[in-house]
Amino acid sequence: MTELYDLHCHSTASDGTLSPTDLVLRASQQGVTSLALTDHDTLAGLPEAQLCALEKGMRIIPGIELSTNWQNKCFHVVGLGIDPAYGALVEATTELQITRLERAEKIAMKLEKKNIPGALEAVKKVAGEGMITRTHFANFLMSQNHVSTQQEAFDRYLAKGKSAYVSTSWAELEVAINWITEAGGVAVLAHPLRYKLTANWMKRLLTEFKAMGGQGIEVITSRMNADEIRQAADYATRFDLLGSVGSDFHHTTNPYVELGRLAPLPTHIKPVWELLS
Ligand code: AMP
Ligand code: MN
Ligand code: MN
Ligand code: MN
């Protein structure tokens, strides 16, 4: 059987639209053999995903996508192969849920000042026990016809510098990397080209990321062209990082993003799954 890895995706435990069970079923249909569920700042979806994967004969790699701060910017770090019962990580997710709720209250207040009431109740209802994210607010703004796409919701209200943006203190990058490595996992810099950093900043980030114990970088994510793949692979080589592949799948309505539908990792890149026993 050919192995097919997808090491980055989201369920209803954060801002995905599929339950962990439905996510695993879809991944299995797509031929994925090893799936890492990496919800934003939470481990809550993992038990259900594990249970379903067991029935399907699929492998779940326990994961998380941590929001982090470095140099006053926000970076996402995927933790792969973590022990979901590791105390410090579990405690961190409990605190992050409160951080996210408090941020949601502030975002809702800003929207209310823009004559858009009811956001907090709406996002809380949809998120349920899961993490509240800006995606929830984007969907609320769409449902109320304030915007017609998620992108427009970010561009007009939710992105940095826009009227409902709330800056948040996430875990410092080094602290997040430590949680992951102490939990037995591998820290991987998520979607490196999405931060729009200059070459110089990228060099600083990856040098420090590596020095802090980071071991991997996403070389393949959805919607990358050949040039972008070359660029990400080049970062992996230059900074001696293992390459990861992940769709960052959130929902079924985006035709460009599908579980397991990913370009192959360039053959000269050492795959991160060599560390995932
Ligand atoms: P949060 O972690 O709550 O700040 O939300 C971040 C999530 O919002 C990301 O993981 C994406 O799923 C989504 N997101 C961020 N920027 C955009 C954008 N420009 N368009 C659509 N979704 C976005
Ligand atoms: Mn997301
Ligand atoms: Mn991300
Ligand atoms: Mn993600």
Side-chain angles (χ1 to χ4, degrees), residues 10 14-15 40 65 133 135 248 250:
H10 298 273
S14 65
D15 59 351
H40 296 287
E65 182 176 19
T133 71
T135 311
D248 206 0
H250 282 75

Side-chain angles (χ1 to χ4, degrees), residues 45-207:
L46 290 171
E48 186 186 316
Q50 300 267 26
L51 204 66
C52 182
L54 205 63
E55 281 172 21
K56 285 272 138 195
M58 208 178 82
R59 177 182 178 207
I60 288 286
I61 293 161
I64 191 164
E65 182 176 19
L66 288 170
S67 315
T68 78
N69 286 134
W70 179 74
Q71 300 287 327
N72 292 320
K73 299 185 214 340
C74 180
F75 296 93
H76 285 179
V77 177
V78 164
L80 299 175
I82 45 167
D83 170 5
Y86 180 70
L89 192 57
V90 174
E91 277 168 35
T93 59
T94 308
E95 287 202 12
L96 283 163
Q97 184 146 31
I98 299 167
T99 302
R100 282 184 169 277
L101 179 60
E102 288 173 354
R103 178 181 71 154
E105 288 165 356
K106 291 180 193 156
I107 294 174
M109 252 150 55
K110 288 197 165 187
L111 287 173
E112 211 155 307
K113 285 196 185 125
K114 292 252 146 204
N115 278 323
I116 303 176
L120 187 62
E121 294 68 31
V123 298
K124 274 168 105 171
K125 196 165 166 213
V126 176
E129 305 268 283
M131 288 289 183
I132 306 175
T133 71
R134 284 184 291 167
T135 311
H136 292 96
F137 283 95
N139 292 341
F140 166 76
L141 289 166
M142 277 168 73
S143 73
Q144 301 292 303
N145 297 317
H146 293 290
V147 294
S148 45
T149 61
Q150 273 192 2
Q151 186 60 51
E152 193 190 345
F154 278 88
D155 292 346
R156 284 181 54 194
Y157 297 99
L158 302 169
K160 192 166 184 177
K162 303 302 168 177
S163 58
Y165 178 76
V166 172
S167 88
T168 311
S169 305
W170 302 110
E172 280 299 315
L173 180 62
E174 185 163 20
V175 172
I177 293 172
N178 284 340
W179 287 334
I180 291 167
T181 44
E182 283 165 14
V186 181
V188 174
L189 183 71
H191 39 68
L193 303 186
R194 229 185 279 166
Y195 309 113
K196 307 273 178 250
L197 295 185
T198 61
N200 218 9
W201 270 101
M202 202 65 197
K203 187 176 166 195
R204 282 185 63 190
L205 169 65
L206 291 177
T207 305

